[in-house]
Amino acid sequence: ETGVTQTPRHLVMGMTNKKSLKCEQHLGHNAMYWYKQSAKKPLELMFVYSLEERVENNSVPSRFSPECPNSSHLFLHLHTLQPEDSALYLCASSQEAGGPGWDTQYFGPGTRLTVL
Amino acid sequence: AQSVAQPEDQVNVAEGNPLTVKCTYSVSGNPYLFWYVQYPNRGLQFLLKYITGDNLVKGSYGFEAEFNKSQTSFHLKKPSALVSDSALYFCAVRDRAYSGAGSYQLTFGKGTKLSVIP
């Protein structure tokens, strides 16, 4: 899984902490995604960046703040989270819409987040 | 709106037997369809996709899927299951009619846990 990497792999944080999740893709893609995976629920798309601009924000609470400084890196800044935010957070990348093979997303291994 | 249903939470199959993991979809236009697999403590791995053309799509690790437009289904199949196929399988759909931000909106099913019994 060297295509899309995520750090840290596991994170435990209190409700008042501030932390950040990092994603890096080595596939030359121009679009990057954050998903939330909770037990027995479908993957929830949180944010999409294409060519470093946010193109999708699916009504995500403001305690989650994404940042895409360049096409290879994506961050998810976390602040004042709730226990129900505990989940696996997955990063993915693809070509931008219309690019070759753009329809296929490639995923990282995820960050297992536990909010106490 | 687009949606995906995976009617089985779990599928059990004996090693060496054929396996099927079911998926049905709903889109207003024509679909792009995908299967992904997730092993424990790992991200999703792309298995195969249907974009256009032949209704039978072949993918990684001997898996294949058949697109059936009349039944709006895209079932995943393998002729002979291996213990190493045990994992969580996700079907996903995107409506071809979407453009702009919608182009990136992939809708996933809840997943089906496949257990291959030795």
Side-chain angles (χ1 to χ4, degrees):
Chain A
E1 292 179 329
T2 56
V4 181
T5 58
Q6 291 186 243
T7 55
R9 294 293 306 273
H10 300 271
L11 178 62
V12 179
M13 59 186 290
M15 293 168 62
T16 58
N17 291 157
K18 290 183 181 180
K19 297 286 184 183
S20 295
L21 309 185
K22 179 183 176 182
C23 175
E24 183 174 1
Q25 61 91 5
H26 310 271
L27 300 169
H29 290 160
N30 291 311
M32 297 188 76
Y33 310 72
W34 280 117
Y35 286 90
K36 177 182 179 182
Q37 185 179 23
S38 304
K40 298 186 178 181
K41 291 178 67 175
L43 268 71
E44 301 173 52
L45 179 63
M46 301 174 72
F47 302 104
V48 182
Y49 279 83
S50 179
L51 300 171
E52 300 158 40
E53 291 192 9
R54 192 188 306 182
V55 296
E56 191 71 43
N57 176 356
N58 283 351
S59 302
V60 178
S62 59
R63 57 185 182 268
F64 295 91
S65 175
E67 178 189 3
C68 187
N70 55 62
S71 60
S72 298
H73 294 87
L74 184 66
F75 294 89
L76 187 63
H77 303 300
L78 314 173
H79 173 55
T80 320
L81 294 191
Q82 305 298 311
E84 60 264 29
D85 296 323
S86 298
L88 182 68
Y89 288 84
L90 293 166
C91 174
S93 71
S94 73
Q95 293 291 357
E96 75 274 16
W102 66 274
D103 45 69
T104 303
Q105 296 178 19
Y106 294 86
F107 286 79
T111 295
R112 175 68 63 186
L113 174 67
T114 302
V115 182
L116 301 177
Chain B
Q2 58 191 26
S3 64
V4 172
Q6 292 182 243
E8 301 152 319
D9 289 338
Q10 176 143 2
V11 170
N12 297 321
V13 63
E15 187 176 23
N17 282 4
L19 70 87
T20 299
V21 183
K22 295 179 180 178
C23 171
T24 58
Y25 67 90
S26 175
V27 294
S28 56
N30 292 308
Y32 292 121
L33 291 157
F34 304 83
W35 276 103
Y36 284 84
V37 59
Q38 186 177 33
Y39 298 100
N41 301 313
R42 304 282 288 274
L44 275 68
Q45 295 180 32
F46 170 74
L47 271 182
L48 52 80
K49 65 182 178 183
Y50 170 80
I51 301 299
T52 187
D54 194 348
N55 289 344
L56 185 63
V57 179
K58 294 186 183 296
S60 307
Y61 313 119
F63 284 94
E64 57 188 29
E66 186 167 13
F67 170 61
N68 187 318
K69 188 172 183 178
S70 62
Q71 296 186 3
T72 61
S73 68
F74 190 57
H75 301 329
L76 181 70
K77 299 182 180 183
K78 188 174 182 181
S80 178
L82 301 173
V83 173
S84 57
D85 293 329
S86 298
L88 192 57
Y89 290 81
F90 291 93
C91 183
V93 68
R94 190 179 73 71
D95 193 326
R96 282 176 195 255
Y98 286 4
S99 61
S103 300
Y104 300 96
Q105 191 85 6
L106 200 59
T107 299
F108 287 84
K110 291 184 177 181
T112 298
K113 183 178 179 181
L114 173 67
S115 293
V116 181
I117 303 161

